[in-house]
Amino acid sequence: MMDYAAENKNPNYGFDVLSDESMYLNKAASVKALVSGFHYLHNPADQVQYKTMWYHLAVLKNEPVSHELFALDKMPSYLDEQVKAFQEKEKTMLQLPLMEALEELIQVLGLMELRKESAYISGFKEAVFDFTANNRADFSGFLDWWEDQQLKRTVKIPEGHNAMRIMTIHKSKGLQFKVVLMPFLKWTIFDTSKGNVIWSPFEDREKGLSAIIPLNLNNELANSDFRETYAEEATMAYLDSLNMLYVALTRAEEVFYGFSPFKETIKSQNYMEAQLQQLIQFDGSEEGD
């Protein structure tokens, strides 16, 4: 969607997309660079964090990542300006309050020039501000706090933001949208290829044995003494898929677009696309179906 929008500048259409996963602050390279910078300032002997900070900055600038970037006594020439600025400000940042040290680090690394990262940087500033409002503002305390809080901090999107939201069927439960697009309306309903383990009761009356044993879920169980367990798992898999499909199809208020591959010959009922195709093609004329 983003690539298409970049290549097709049409003011009548919007292709902006949002996903919850992309909104987490700790996923952003700019925030990773700042956190690594904090780690280094807290412990200047930690060269790994120092190099990690420059690595994320190189990624943000779309610069080549080479061995030179990780060598202890070297640094790529394209980072000369930022490295010099950092070294000049390093001692100053150690003496500043946490919030001011963050502002200096952002300035030194030139992160505000990267406009695509501004929302993440603003979100991280807010996180630091929230911490300093209720805690002693030092690097050590913040880094411990961030370790616990990083999975809870996201970019805040204003209500009514005009963009498509990308989410799983499970996360869409309970929500509703005027239009829903589902590009991958296909999956294996009862997948026995993953080697999942199920626990099944086992009884040998002749030997007086009774136990619950682990079984590898595969097709061989269908022709074994555990065929009832296999059949129960298959039934539950079909019910789970039916429930999931129900959730997907009922999120739309007005329009639902689903994309599912067509099968010339349906040899197995174990695929959602086969089930949907037969449902759509069925005209209700055959007795007994």
Side-chain angles (χ1 to χ4, degrees):
M1 289 286 191
M2 293 169 68
D3 287 343
Y4 185 85
E7 296 170 4
N8 298 270
K9 302 293 184 183
N10 189 330
N12 297 321
Y13 298 95
F15 295 93
D16 292 341
V17 293
L18 289 174
S19 71
D20 292 340
E21 285 71 20
S22 68
M23 295 294 103
Y24 283 111
L25 296 181
N26 68 324
K27 299 283 184 72
S30 56
V31 173
K32 290 179 180 179
L34 291 171
V35 172
S36 293
F38 273 13
H39 274 289
Y40 171 73
L41 291 171
H42 172 56
N43 179 17
D46 192 345
Q47 288 295 308
V48 172
Q49 293 292 350
Y50 182 73
K51 288 292 185 176
T52 301
M53 176 179 68
W54 298 117
Y55 162 75
H56 289 303
L57 188 62
V59 170
L60 285 167
K61 290 176 170 290
N62 293 317
E63 297 287 358
V65 176
S66 62
H67 290 290
E68 192 177 30
L69 185 62
F70 301 99
L72 289 175
D73 56 345
K74 295 181 180 179
M75 193 64 76
S77 57
Y78 59 80
L79 289 173
D80 284 346
E81 186 178 334
Q82 277 91 2
V83 171
K84 183 179 178 181
F86 183 87
Q87 291 172 344
E88 291 175 352
K89 294 281 188 177
E90 184 176 342
K91 290 182 179 179
T92 303
M93 286 188 283
L94 287 171
Q95 299 170 2
L96 291 173
L98 191 64
M99 199 69 201
E100 293 180 31
L102 173 62
E103 293 286 359
E104 283 288 349
L105 185 58
I106 292 170
Q107 184 70 28
V108 164
L109 297 180
L111 293 177
M112 290 311 296
E113 299 171 9
L114 306 170
R115 300 191 63 181
K116 290 184 178 180
E117 295 292 309
S118 59
Y120 296 104
I121 295 170
S122 296
F124 188 65
K125 282 185 181 180
E126 187 175 330
V128 174
F129 178 81
D130 289 346
F131 171 78
T132 56
N134 301 300
N135 301 275
R136 181 181 173 184
D138 58 16
F139 290 115
S140 178
F142 174 76
L143 291 170
D144 288 340
W145 178 85
W146 180 252
E147 190 67 28
D148 293 331
Q149 296 292 319
Q150 59 180 323
L151 295 178
K152 302 175 184 177
R153 309 293 301 207
T154 62
V155 174
K156 293 182 179 178
I157 304 299
E159 289 293 327
H161 184 70
N162 188 25
M164 292 172 275
R165 292 186 60 186
I166 300 175
M167 64 182 68
T168 63
I169 296 174
H170 293 289
K171 287 190 176 181
S172 73
K173 193 172 183 179
L175 303 177
Q176 59 189 50
F177 309 91
K178 286 189 177 181
V179 179
V180 171
L181 309 176
M182 190 170 174
F184 305 110
L185 196 48
K186 63 184 184 72
W187 61 81
T188 302
I189 298 174
F190 186 41
D191 191 354
T192 59
S193 64
K194 296 179 179 178
N196 292 331
V197 174
I198 57 173
W199 294 85
S200 174
F202 174 76
E203 187 174 358
D204 189 330
R205 293 180 180 177
E206 293 181 3
K207 297 182 179 180
L209 295 174
S210 180
I212 296 178
I213 61 175
L215 301 170
N216 285 322
L217 186 58
N218 55 50
N219 294 328
E220 294 177 2
L221 290 180
N223 301 314
S224 71
D225 290 338
F226 297 98
R227 52 185 169 274
E228 291 183 6
T229 300
Y230 178 88
E232 182 180 352
E233 288 293 321
T235 300
M236 293 304 298
Y238 272 77
L239 284 173
D240 284 345
S241 284
L242 183 62
N243 287 330
M244 190 155 60
L245 184 64
Y246 172 80
V247 170
L249 294 174
T250 53
R251 297 310 93 204
E253 297 175 5
E254 297 178 7
V255 179
F256 177 92
Y257 286 107
F259 297 85
S260 182
F262 175 80
K263 288 182 173 290
E264 290 288 348
T265 304
I266 296 176
K267 297 180 180 179
S268 172
Q269 302 292 324
N270 197 27
Y271 301 99
M272 181 53 68
E273 57 268 36
Q275 296 281 344
L276 285 168
Q277 183 174 325
Q278 291 174 108
L279 178 65
I280 292 169
Q281 292 175 337
F282 179 60
D283 60 7
S285 62
E286 299 177 31
E287 293 186 12
D289 284 337

